[in-house]
Each structure stands twice: as C-alpha cells, then as structure tokens.
Amino acid sequence: MHYDVVEAQVIGELSFTVRFADGLSGTVRFLPSYLYGVFEKLKNPEFFNQLQVTNGFVSWGADEIDLAPDSMYEAISQKGEWLLS
C-alpha cells in the first residue's frame, strides 16, 4: 500500500523521520504526556533508538510496540508531521 513505511530514522529525543512507499516523508514526534501504558517504554532513549521498520510498520522491540501507518500517513500528508500528544 502507499502508506507502507519503507524507512525511518531517529533524529532526536522522541522524534524520527519517516518515508512511505509512495515517497511521502515527514516527522513523527511524541510529547512526553503520550508516553504511558504500552508507550511508556519509549521514555528510555536506548529503547527509543531501537526504532525499526517491519512489514511496513514503525516498531520497537520484538514487535512490542508499533504505530499505525495509515494514521501516520494521513497526518503527515496534511501537516508534514504527526504529533502524538
């Protein structure tokens, strides 16, 4: 699908760039207030830096955490960024 992620790279604390199969690219940022529940592990910079792309998804750990590529794509196509707050 056009919203499959093909590349992602950490660019700073709680942020990364992403590129989709159709060439769209942008930034994803987490506000600390978003990091609770399953996302709490992302507070650890070592864990956050383990960001990877798996089967079109951005994920961390052994597929413990992943992000919905369609929601990410929609936000980035409209604003250039997906802010998780």
Side-chain angles (χ1 to χ4, degrees):
M1 301 241 80
H2 66 280
Y3 54 76
D4 281 352
V5 175
V6 295
E7 183 179 8
Q9 182 175 6
V10 174
I11 57 170
E13 184 178 350
L14 301 178
S15 62
F16 62 92
T17 58
V18 65
R19 186 170 53 88
F20 295 90
D22 70 352
L24 178 73
S25 61
T27 304
V28 178
R29 287 190 310 129
F30 289 88
L31 292 184
S33 59
Y34 193 83
L35 301 179
Y36 61 91
V38 69
F39 294 105
E40 191 156 352
K41 289 184 173 186
L42 297 178
K43 288 180 181 178
N44 178 332
E46 285 185 29
F47 188 78
F48 190 86
N49 288 334
Q50 292 177 22
L51 171 113
Q52 59 190 4
V53 176
T54 308
N55 298 321
F57 288 80
V58 171
S59 62
W60 289 267
D63 295 328
E64 294 176 62
I65 300 172
D66 62 30
L67 298 176
D70 52 341
S71 296
M72 187 185 316
Y73 186 95
E74 172 124 1
I76 289 173
S77 68
Q78 292 176 10
K79 301 173 188 167
E81 176 179 73
W82 191 28
L83 179 61
L84 297 157
S85 59

